[in-house]
Amino acid sequence: MEWSDLKIFLAVARGGTLGAAARDLGQTQPTMGRRIRALEDALGTALFQRTSEGFVLTDEGAAVLAHAERIEAEALGIARAASGQVGALEGVLRVSSSDWFGAHVLTRAIAALGVRHPGVVIELITDARLLSLARREADLVFRITPFEEPDIAQRRLMTMPYAAYLAEGQTSLDRVVTMDTAFGGMPDVAWLRQRLPDARVAFRSNSREAQARACAEGMGIAVLPCPLGDATRGIARIDLGEPPPERDVWLGYHRDLRHLPRLRAFVDEVLALVTGAA
């Protein structure tokens, strides 16, 4: 039995289908299917029940899953420990953030890092999912909620100001642009509803960039983080009596990577940027 076979088993167990697992690992579905069958033959038991909706773990598969996850944790720990000892300022650093934060904040730090350390390549992943630092889905994550996972080094990076924006030349306060229903509990959504209880929702999106563009197209008032709103052409801040609630921005990385030079260098660039030292 090889670790590569267990990686495929874990991907199928987590994704539920060969297609999802293949996309996750960058392999083809037929290859994934053959490797799963070979693993089942080697173990002498069926690990999955094949259904019309996907792959469901059998009791035997669930037992194997617990062992495979422990093996994965050890293997990833070895990889992180080895990465954390690499001394050269070169290589790839996977960074995850929201779309607007990556575009309007982090790209400035990425550009500054590229000038000082051209051997470092930042791979920026803008994804609504909370990527796993333990599984090296990302090396460094920026988000608006603290990290609760074990073995994560984190710090509050900054407090992000928000403001209400409206398309230039418009005065009507009867329509709003806001987050989609899945994010309806966010503080700025409640604040906008409280300030303009009679306004009609004209557009919803989980993308702040899309909200900013919709606002610029005249679809209504949007509450946006100031770096994004101030940089969007065609919109301007408006006063609704009080400012929207601010949000903290947190950064986090696995403790095993705390000595990784390229991670430390990038964190330093970001800190210099947000403190005005860049």
Side-chain angles (χ1 to χ4, degrees):
M1 184 187 310
E2 298 181 1
W3 165 232
S4 59
D5 292 329
L6 290 179
K7 286 178 65 176
I8 291 174
F9 166 75
L10 286 168
V12 174
R14 289 164 177 161
T17 66
L18 291 178
R23 288 190 297 273
D24 183 42
L25 297 181
Q27 299 190 29
T28 65
Q29 291 190 46
T31 297
M32 303 290 281
R34 287 195 298 271
R35 297 287 292 276
I36 288 295
R37 287 192 296 272
L39 180 59
E40 290 177 324
D41 290 343
L43 294 175
T45 188
L47 301 176
F48 295 100
Q49 178 182 353
R50 279 72 167 170
T51 73
S52 59
E53 297 182 355
F55 280 50
V56 179
L57 284 169
T58 61
D59 290 344
E60 294 78 9
V64 171
L65 177 65
H67 293 286
E69 287 180 332
R70 286 195 292 270
I71 294 172
E72 178 191 45
E74 292 296 329
L76 291 172
I78 293 171
R80 287 192 304 267
S83 296
Q85 300 303 316
V86 176
L89 270 167
E90 59 183 25
V92 176
L93 185 71
R94 289 171 56 84
V95 178
S96 173
S97 76
S98 61
D99 56 353
W100 71 266
F101 192 80
H104 294 275
V105 178
L106 294 184
T107 49
R108 293 174 58 192
I110 292 169
L113 182 74
V115 171
R116 293 185 175 91
H117 306 292
V120 177
V121 177
I122 300 295
E123 184 175 309
L124 180 61
I125 308 158
T126 56
D127 199 319
R129 294 180 302 126
L130 297 180
L131 300 184
S132 171
L133 291 166
R135 295 202 296 269
R136 294 298 298 275
E137 293 177 345
D139 300 315
L140 178 64
V141 172
F142 296 84
R143 71 190 203 190
I144 58 175
T145 56
F147 296 79
E148 298 180 354
E149 302 90 329
D151 299 321
I152 302 301
Q154 63 177 308
R155 64 175 293 172
R156 189 177 64 156
L157 176 66
M158 63 185 299
T159 299
M160 179 63 64
Y162 283 63
Y165 292 84
L166 188 63
E168 294 177 349
Q170 287 195 337
T171 59
S172 175
L173 305 181
D174 63 348
R175 296 193 303 168
V176 297
V177 170
T178 188
M179 298 296 292
D180 67 2
T181 53
F183 292 89
M186 296 187 73
D188 60 277
V189 177
W191 178 88
L192 189 58
R193 189 184 309 116
Q194 180 186 43
R195 303 307 298 175
L196 300 172
D198 298 325
R200 177 174 64 86
V201 175
F203 178 71
R204 299 182 192 271
S205 176
N206 67 341
S207 167
R208 295 289 191 183
E209 289 274 7
Q211 291 176 34
R213 291 312 314 155
C215 179
E217 294 295 332
M219 294 190 68
I221 298 167
V223 175
L224 302 168
C226 291
L228 169 59
D230 293 348
T232 302
R233 297 180 60 181
I235 66 176
R237 297 191 194 192
I238 61 171
D239 184 1
L240 294 182
E242 65 180 38
E246 301 174 328
R247 298 301 302 269
D248 290 333
V249 178
W250 296 78
L251 68 83
Y253 52 88
H254 199 282
R255 293 185 184 279
D256 289 346
L257 299 183
R258 63 188 179 276
H259 299 304
L260 183 64
R262 58 184 180 273
L263 185 147
R264 296 305 319 165
F266 184 61
V267 169
D268 289 344
E269 293 290 353
V270 173
L271 291 175
L273 174 65
V274 300
T275 59

